[in-house]
Amino acid sequence: MTSSLTPRDEGNLPALSAPPLVRLDAYVAEDGSTVVNGHLLEMGGTRPPNEAILDAIAMFARTLRAPVAATVIDRTVLQVARLRVYPDGSSRTIAEDEDLPPGRERTAAEEEAFPPLARVERIIQHAQRGELHAASVLASALREHLTLRRGAEDELSLEARAIEAYLAYQRGDYMVSTVLALTVARIRCRTDLTRAAPEVARATAAWQRLTDDGQVATRGQELLHMWEHLAAEGFLLEPAHQAMAQAVRNRLERGSRPVPARATAPAVTAGQGPAAPEDTPLRPTRRGLRRFTRRPGRSAEPQS
């Protein structure tokens, strides 16, 4: 179910001539599942995620014979950690203001070394084998890092979120699927109406599976607003989409709970990080964060 990560797998390594702007990325899901550069790590029993991440990144540093930068999104503590890991296995954390500032050059270099589309292909392979948990964790990692680097409205970020919504639907987690798909639809309705209707349809498909009356009312009202907006702008053309819009209207009319007014989400620009309303904000790292700090030749320090 998981992919073994070794520095000798050429698909995991940046080119030796890659500019020093390139950094690795890691992700720890809420359940402790750990991803480095789009590969799910074998945890080896009760091995802590921070140790697995540091070991994997240290292998890169030894192979490249140079210090390696890394950005770790850790959802277990709602934190972004920024690291420097050295060939001798030592590491230190830095504060956000010590890191290289975001920019197109850095983003392009990082994504040239670790192409997002290659990660999508790996996600699809897991899904095709029925490994939906692995596929979902990898999709979450991809979406989180793309959003952090590019912003929630970026095209790649949106595609990753749509994949994550689809996988949640396949797992039967219709609430998560609805929330993710609604975010994609909301952004499309604001930025590109020509592509919005299919996204609203996907969100509607997940919403139709919800059973909680409050969520049905709240999410349904936003869906109805989207369908009405598409109709008013002349983009509700497909009969199937018209039928879905009517189905939303009918279900809301049958419900007995009052429907709250729709909240308008603020615009998002690249570099703002996870600014979609459903994305729980992450705290920036602080200097000397012990769970990601190692001394030369030492194993991981105890967690703080």
Side-chain angles (χ1 to χ4, degrees):
M1 177 176 177
T2 55
S3 299
S4 176
L5 182 82
T6 68
R8 292 174 175 79
D9 182 344
E10 293 182 359
N12 296 337
L13 278 175
L16 291 177
S17 60
L21 294 174
V22 176
R23 74 196 58 222
L24 311 184
D25 59 72
Y27 176 74
V28 184
E30 288 87 346
D31 66 358
S33 299
T34 303
V35 178
V36 174
N37 290 338
H39 291 261
L40 197 61
L41 296 186
E42 296 279 4
M43 298 302 293
T46 59
R47 191 178 183 208
N50 60 303
E51 292 186 18
I53 288 171
L54 288 174
D55 286 346
I57 297 173
M59 285 195 294
F60 284 103
R62 285 194 293 271
T63 299
L64 298 174
R65 300 183 182 88
V68 172
T71 299
V72 182
I73 294 176
D74 189 342
R75 276 290 166 192
T76 65
V77 292
L78 298 177
Q79 190 169 56
V80 178
R82 304 179 190 279
L83 315 180
R84 295 289 183 272
V85 182
Y86 300 88
D88 64 1
S90 62
S91 65
R92 67 185 182 95
T93 54
I94 61 175
E96 188 171 15
D97 58 7
E98 295 179 87
D99 199 11
L100 292 170
R104 292 182 180 179
E105 181 184 3
R106 192 185 84 184
T107 296
E110 291 171 358
E111 292 176 4
E112 181 180 359
F114 303 103
L117 292 181
R119 301 191 186 198
V120 171
E121 291 176 0
R122 194 173 302 119
I123 292 167
I124 293 172
Q125 290 168 3
H126 279 289
Q128 289 174 338
R129 293 195 295 266
E131 300 165 356
L132 294 181
H133 176 265
S136 296
V137 172
L138 294 178
S140 296
L142 178 61
R143 186 259 304 168
E144 292 255 20
H145 277 286
L146 286 173
T147 302
L148 186 68
R149 289 199 296 259
R150 290 170 162 266
E153 292 190 359
D154 175 78
E155 187 63 34
L156 290 176
S157 302
L158 284 174
E159 292 297 331
R161 194 181 294 268
I163 292 170
E164 194 179 2
Y166 172 77
L167 291 169
Y169 186 91
Q170 293 298 307
R171 294 196 321 269
D173 195 339
Y174 302 119
M175 186 66 251
V176 169
S177 181
T178 301
V179 169
L180 290 165
L182 267 174
T183 300
V184 178
R186 185 185 306 123
I187 292 172
R188 289 287 189 216
C189 283
R190 189 165 63 241
T191 63
D192 187 358
L193 283 175
T194 63
R195 303 176 64 183
E199 303 297 351
V200 181
R202 293 185 183 102
T204 301
W207 172 83
Q208 288 174 326
R209 297 295 190 99
L210 298 182
T211 57
D212 180 86
D213 289 343
Q215 290 295 330
V216 168
T218 301
R219 307 295 179 179
Q221 177 65 14
E222 184 171 12
L223 282 169
L224 184 59
H225 177 90
M226 290 179 183
W227 286 125
E228 291 175 344
H229 180 56
L230 288 171
E233 296 295 329
F235 289 98
L236 188 56
L237 303 175
E238 296 288 335
H241 293 163
Q242 295 170 7
M244 293 186 89
Q246 187 59 48
V248 172
R249 186 176 295 104
N250 291 343
R251 188 178 187 189
L252 290 176
E253 289 175 352
R254 289 196 303 268
S256 59
R257 294 173 63 97
V259 177
R262 185 184 68 94
T264 302
V268 183
T269 58
Q272 288 184 336
E278 292 79 9
D279 296 344
T280 305
L282 297 161
R283 295 178 290 112
T285 190
R286 61 184 187 275
R287 297 173 182 84
L289 194 66
R290 291 192 65 195
R291 72 177 183 279
F292 286 117
T293 301
R294 281 182 176 175
R295 297 175 183 174
R298 295 281 299 273
S299 60
E301 298 285 349
Q303 295 187 29
S304 58

